[in-house]
Amino acid sequence: MTQDPTEISHWRALRLLQARMDEDIARLYTEARIDGLKPSYVMELIKLHLRGPMSIKELAEAVQRTHSALSQKVAAMRRAGLVETVTGADARSKQVMLTERATGMIDRLMAEWRATESALAELESEIPYPLGQVVLDVERALERRSFHDRIAEKLATDPAWINPEG
């Protein structure tokens, strides 16, 4: 029987931790009767509030995401009634803007952002090695040698990768 390689996952714990924390934030929205809002929308909504309408490309750059990922997120936020899109100056582009509903909740979203960041700082003070430092250390290691190169080196000696036909 073939061993399931997904039983080993160095990232699973981190993904589950972030999901749990996002669920806690989402629970705050539910308790505050804010429907249709996901924690993953808040940065974009705040950026749109502070900077005004932006193209999807500009918004993607502002939040450091790909155009494709932001396009999908904007579609979901539009379905949730948080943003609307209008044709931009160039007919190929779309301008994204907050709806009245989103504008009405923006002060609460900024308050939640500040409270979340404060809670994270408090949490990091309770652990011996802050997660923010872990991220910086991983980024530095990847500057020395990319993740791509590290994986490619492992695959270069794996027969299943080298000879997919068997």
Side-chain angles (χ1 to χ4, degrees):
M1 185 165 145
T2 302
Q3 183 180 0
D4 180 354
T6 67
E7 292 299 316
I8 299 170
S9 176
H10 293 281
W11 287 357
R12 182 179 296 126
L14 182 59
R15 284 195 310 267
L16 292 174
L17 174 63
Q18 184 171 11
R20 191 170 89 204
M21 294 169 84
D22 279 348
E23 287 169 7
D24 282 347
I25 295 169
R27 196 170 84 214
L28 290 166
Y29 300 154
T30 300
E31 290 167 356
R33 292 183 165 83
I34 302 173
D35 298 324
L37 180 65
K38 293 184 178 182
S40 63
Y41 298 166
V42 175
M43 181 185 291
E44 288 80 359
L45 296 174
I46 291 172
K47 294 283 187 196
L48 287 167
H49 171 72
L50 295 175
R51 297 183 185 184
M54 288 188 259
S55 69
I56 291 175
K57 179 182 178 193
E58 293 167 331
L59 185 55
E61 289 170 0
V63 298
Q64 300 177 308
R65 301 286 307 260
T66 65
H67 182 281
S68 175
L70 239 294
S71 183
Q72 291 176 25
K73 187 181 280 191
V74 165
M77 290 190 301
R78 191 174 49 239
R79 286 189 300 274
L82 299 168
V83 299
E84 54 192 13
T85 56
V86 295
T87 303
D90 153 354
R92 295 172 294 163
S93 68
K94 291 181 181 177
Q95 287 288 110
V96 183
M97 60 183 57
L98 296 179
T99 61
E100 280 186 43
R101 176 173 177 252
T103 300
M105 66 174 73
I106 205 72
D107 288 340
R108 293 177 91 188
L109 299 184
M110 291 196 295
E112 177 268 308
W113 187 277
R114 290 188 300 269
T116 297
E117 287 299 316
S118 179
L120 285 167
E122 177 184 289
L123 185 59
E124 283 199 335
S125 76
E126 295 178 25
I127 58 177
Y129 198 74
L131 188 56
Q133 186 61 51
V134 173
V135 172
L136 290 174
D137 291 346
V138 170
E139 286 174 341
R140 285 188 196 115
L142 291 174
E143 286 172 6
R144 290 189 297 273
R145 190 158 156 244
S146 75
F147 199 46
H148 169 275
D149 291 351
R150 292 166 191 265
I151 296 169
E153 179 183 303
K154 310 286 185 237
L155 290 173
T157 60
D158 189 319
W161 186 262
I162 297 167
N163 187 8
E165 303 298 316

